[in-house]
Amino acid sequence: MADPQEVLSRRVQSALGAAFGPEFADTDPVIRPSQFADYQANAALALAKRLGRKPREVSAAIMEKLDVSDVCRDVEVSGPGFINLTLREDWIAERTRRLLDDPRLGVPLQEGQNIPLDYSAPNVAKEMHVGHLRTTVVGDSLARVLEFLGHHVIRQNHIGDWGTPFGMLIEHLLAVGEDSPEAELLTTDPNAFYQAARTEFDSSGPGPEDFAARARRRVVLLQSGDEETLRLWRKLVGLSKVYFNKVYARLGVTLTDDDLAGESTYNHMLADVCEELESKGIAEISDGALCVFLEGFTGREDKPVPLIVRKSDGGYGYATTDLATVRHRVDDLKADRILYVVGAPQAMHFKMVWATARKAGWLPDNVETVHVQIGNVLGNDGKILRTRSGAPVRLIALLDEAVERAGAVVAQNRPDLDAASRDEIARMVGIGAVKYADLSVAHDTEYTFDFDRMLALNGNTGPYLQYAQARIRSIFRKGGLELSEARGRITVSQDAERALALKLLEFGAVVAQVGDLLQPHRLSSYLFDLAQSLTAFYEHCPVLTADTEAERE
Ligand code: ARG
């Protein structure tokens, strides 16, 4: 690994072992970037207590055994007992050179795990909301990072494609005509279709041939596997897929139809799930419903909260399906780790599902399940983002607006560009800004959706990173050089250059950390720091007009 912190950490650790005995060799030496040197080791303070000696004395003892002459040009004890470490320029240059030659850019290859990754998961015949946008963007980022780290990621798009509303939706589809423009709405504005069906249902007469009664009969037909009804259901799902794929293509996420594993996938397992839970004595009938009561899950007045696996009318619900996802992912997908990138409000649901699955023996101890909790996206009023009329925000309209706003800035600043180029830049900046807003904050915190902030050229934003990237490109363009041909000598002389090189060397460790902690915002923070280092470098170290040829290279 190229990371200087890692290298220094190992060196200080072996000095600790040599100075105080092997039982100290695994002490964390706490290496941090410092304003007084490149890095500072901070092990002495904690060790001083353990050893009953003064921190400065401890540091001196470490120094005596510390062998870093090939890495550092200056090592000194400072303050109450820190060790300041200043790297050698030739070491930094050599490490940076290796990074340039490494197609993995210093990112380690980890021992590959099978990782089913549940993300996006919108619902058929419903609008994707900003919450789905966030699980899609965060989930896709994790998928890419984990794959790059060497894992086998199995994307699982758990779309909501089953349940009682489908009776009403199918009847509405029949009423408007399967190939009508109203049905086509499912591919562009699914909520409009859903609302129309709802209105028809709510205003229906009570007769046996009226809409509501037909819709209820349709649910029964669907559940009993009636062929014609299934065909209509597949039609609804197919139209919704067109809509999902439009959004995915717009966002540039990696999900395809092959990754769909919707709720209906598990229908054939649900009876068995219930039967096994009942026979193992884990579930019991309560008020006609089959329920699991788990220790530690209580609601108001300490009343136990049930996990309902079969409703009193015999229907199965969200919990039953999710129990089946666990069995499928463990048994068939051979999961080592299962990740669910889902809204934070569902935390309790997952805890109960997994506790039940562990009890039933479906989730072995060596398989870890993680809920990557997605915080809410709020509007300016601090409430869940809605349009002014109170309707949920249409995702495509939101993306359109981001691109439009970016386009207005481009049109103003670059009237010289042709329309096609301006459109392309607007698309990259607009979509990039929205995605980056999701990635740059910790996934489990709430944030306020604010176009002005997302699209700002300064601060931790997509456009700021894109701007840094454009600056690099422009150096190459003006120098008549291809990026891929950048194979010059590397020398490190100026401060800004040194800071930039040190940042670059951290990359691999950061990516590994993102995969271990499942926190894409750490990569964003890193890239923001990197872009800032680049900006300082760009301002202080002119490349094309450098004093010497070596510097220019
Ligand atoms: N469709 C659900 C929703 O819109 C999310 C499903 C998440 N995944 C899961 N396995 N429960 O809230």
Side-chain angles (χ1 to χ4, degrees):
M1 215 190 252
D3 182 19
Q5 265 164 282
E6 181 77 32
V7 173
L8 293 172
S9 180
R10 276 203 304 267
R11 298 291 179 97
V12 175
Q13 274 183 331
S14 60
L16 289 173
F20 310 117
E23 68 270 34
F24 290 90
D26 57 2
T27 311
D28 179 4
V30 199
I31 311 282
R32 292 208 191 92
S34 152
Q35 63 188 112
F36 306 109
D38 293 323
Y39 294 97
Q40 199 165 58
N42 200 354
L45 295 185
L47 277 175
K49 275 196 205 118
R50 239 171 108 184
L51 293 161
R53 290 164 69 176
K54 292 206 182 74
R56 273 190 83 94
E57 262 175 52
V58 173
S59 288
I62 299 173
M63 288 275 280
E64 224 162 87
K65 300 289 180 191
L66 187 61
D67 178 12
V68 285
S69 55
D70 56 327
V71 181
C72 295
R73 84 165 137 71
D74 273 319
V75 185
E76 57 181 24
V77 177
S78 90
F82 302 121
I83 299 175
N84 284 351
L85 300 151
T86 306
L87 298 168
R88 290 168 58 131
E89 282 68 25
D90 58 347
W91 188 85
I92 300 174
E94 160 62 17
R95 288 285 163 149
T96 315
R97 155 100 259 159
R98 277 199 227 166
L99 205 58
L100 183 60
D101 291 335
D102 175 8
R104 295 192 54 80
L105 287 171
V107 178
L109 205 53
Q110 300 180 337
E111 199 186 315
Q113 289 187 322
N114 279 341
I115 307 182
L117 176 62
D118 186 320
Y119 71 102
S120 190
N123 301 312
V124 165
K126 288 226 188 103
E127 177 67 41
M128 281 175 82
H129 54 67
V130 283
H132 290 121
L133 172 74
R134 206 168 168 197
T135 92
T136 304
V137 169
V138 171
D140 208 56
S141 164
L142 289 176
R144 290 168 191 259
V145 169
L146 290 168
E147 268 170 354
F148 195 74
L149 286 167
H151 299 292
H152 179 221
V153 174
I154 313 161
R155 293 164 175 74
Q156 296 284 287
N157 194 354
H158 191 79
I159 59 171
D161 62 356
W162 200 255
T164 41
F166 281 90
M168 160 190 107
L169 291 167
I170 291 172
E171 283 303 321
H172 183 65
L173 181 65
L174 282 173
V176 295
E178 286 178 50
D179 298 309
S180 64
E182 286 88 345
E184 215 35 48
L185 271 180
L186 282 166
T187 67
T188 54
D189 186 1
N191 254 9
F193 183 92
Y194 191 92
Q195 283 312 326
R198 203 45 302 146
T199 308
E200 213 177 339
F201 187 86
D202 290 341
S203 59
S204 157
E209 283 319 307
D210 288 328
F211 187 85
R214 278 187 278 132
R216 285 194 197 97
R217 280 201 298 277
R218 194 53 85 172
V219 178
V220 179
L221 282 171
L222 182 65
Q223 281 163 351
S224 62
D226 171 62
E227 211 21 76
E228 172 63 4
T229 304
L230 282 174
R231 188 187 65 77
L232 292 162
W233 167 76
R234 274 192 291 267
K235 175 103 198 180
L236 282 175
V237 176
L239 289 166
S240 282
K241 275 201 261 187
V242 174
Y243 166 72
F244 300 153
N245 287 334
K246 264 186 207 165
V247 175
Y248 296 153
R250 202 83 204 283
L251 291 171
V253 300
T254 57
L255 285 169
T256 68
D257 284 354
D258 292 342
D259 306 315
L260 289 170
E263 294 177 10
S264 67
T265 320
Y266 303 94
N267 284 348
H268 68 285
M269 298 172 68
L270 304 181
D272 199 52
V273 163
C274 290
E275 218 162 88
E276 225 180 294
L277 288 175
E278 209 173 355
S279 68
K280 286 181 172 161
I282 298 168
E284 60 192 85
I285 302 284
S286 166
D287 286 336
L290 186 63
C291 301
V292 180
F293 291 97
L294 294 156
E295 220 164 290
F297 293 93
T298 46
R300 255 187 252 149
E301 294 164 15
D302 275 349
K303 272 210 177 132
V305 177
L307 184 73
I308 300 175
V309 292
R310 196 180 58 223
K311 292 180 247 172
S312 53
D313 66 2
Y316 306 110
Y318 192 56
T320 333
T321 325
D322 260 325
L323 283 165
T325 64
V326 176
R327 295 187 76 173
H328 172 59
R329 291 166 193 183
V330 171
D331 294 345
D332 308 326
L333 304 180
K334 309 272 175 261
D336 296 302
R337 190 156 45 132
I338 315 178
L339 311 181
Y340 293 78
V341 186
V342 185
Q346 297 187 33
M348 169 104 147
H349 161 78
F350 284 114
K351 274 200 192 124
M352 295 183 79
V353 165
W354 299 338
T356 303
R358 293 230 188 256
K359 253 185 148 171
W362 299 330
L363 184 57
D365 287 344
N366 60 353
V367 178
E368 190 195 2
T369 47
V370 184
H371 179 192
V372 179
Q373 301 194 13
I374 299 298
N376 290 327
V377 182
L378 309 175
N380 279 324
D381 55 1
K383 300 200 183 114
I384 302 271
L385 191 67
R386 307 230 155 226
T387 58
R388 246 169 257 151
S389 66
V393 175
R394 286 185 53 217
L395 192 58
I396 298 225
L398 207 72
L399 297 177
D400 285 343
E401 185 171 347
V403 173
E404 207 172 286
R405 284 176 182 243
V409 179
V410 180
Q412 197 173 36
N413 294 347
R414 295 300 302 272
D416 55 309
L417 293 175
D418 60 79
S421 310
R422 274 190 268 147
D423 285 352
E424 179 60 2
I425 295 173
R427 187 190 64 77
M428 292 194 283
V429 173
I431 301 289
V434 172
K435 287 180 78 170
Y436 194 76
D438 275 342
L439 294 172
S440 58
V441 289
H443 61 70
D444 53 354
T445 56
E446 297 184 329
Y447 80 89
T448 303
F449 194 95
D450 177 354
F451 278 121
D452 290 334
R453 194 183 51 79
M454 287 179 196
L455 286 161
L457 264 180
N458 279 309
N460 190 6
T461 65
Y464 181 74
L465 296 196
Q466 289 172 324
Y467 189 54
Q469 161 78 346
R471 281 182 146 173
I472 302 174
R473 295 264 169 187
S474 98
I475 297 178
F476 279 84
R477 195 172 54 247
K478 288 186 192 141
L481 232 137
E482 286 295 318
L483 259 172
S484 57
E485 286 165 14
R487 282 285 178 276
R489 277 165 291 179
I490 293 178
T491 51
V492 176
S493 48
Q494 317 245 3
D495 285 349
E497 196 175 33
R498 178 191 192 92
L500 178 59
L502 290 181
K503 257 291 147 218
L504 288 169
L505 293 177
E506 287 173 15
F507 180 66
V510 171
V511 175
Q513 204 180 41
V514 170
D516 293 342
L517 303 174
L518 306 171
Q519 295 176 343
H521 78 275
R522 288 177 183 269
L523 184 55
S524 304
S525 308
Y526 168 79
L527 291 173
F528 178 52
D529 288 349
L530 182 65
Q532 284 184 308
S533 303
L534 180 91
T535 304
F537 166 79
Y538 187 89
E539 275 156 18
H540 294 113
C541 309
V543 176
L544 297 172
T545 57
D547 291 338
T548 66
E549 185 58 27
E551 239 177 54
R552 190 184 133 110
E553 275 186 39

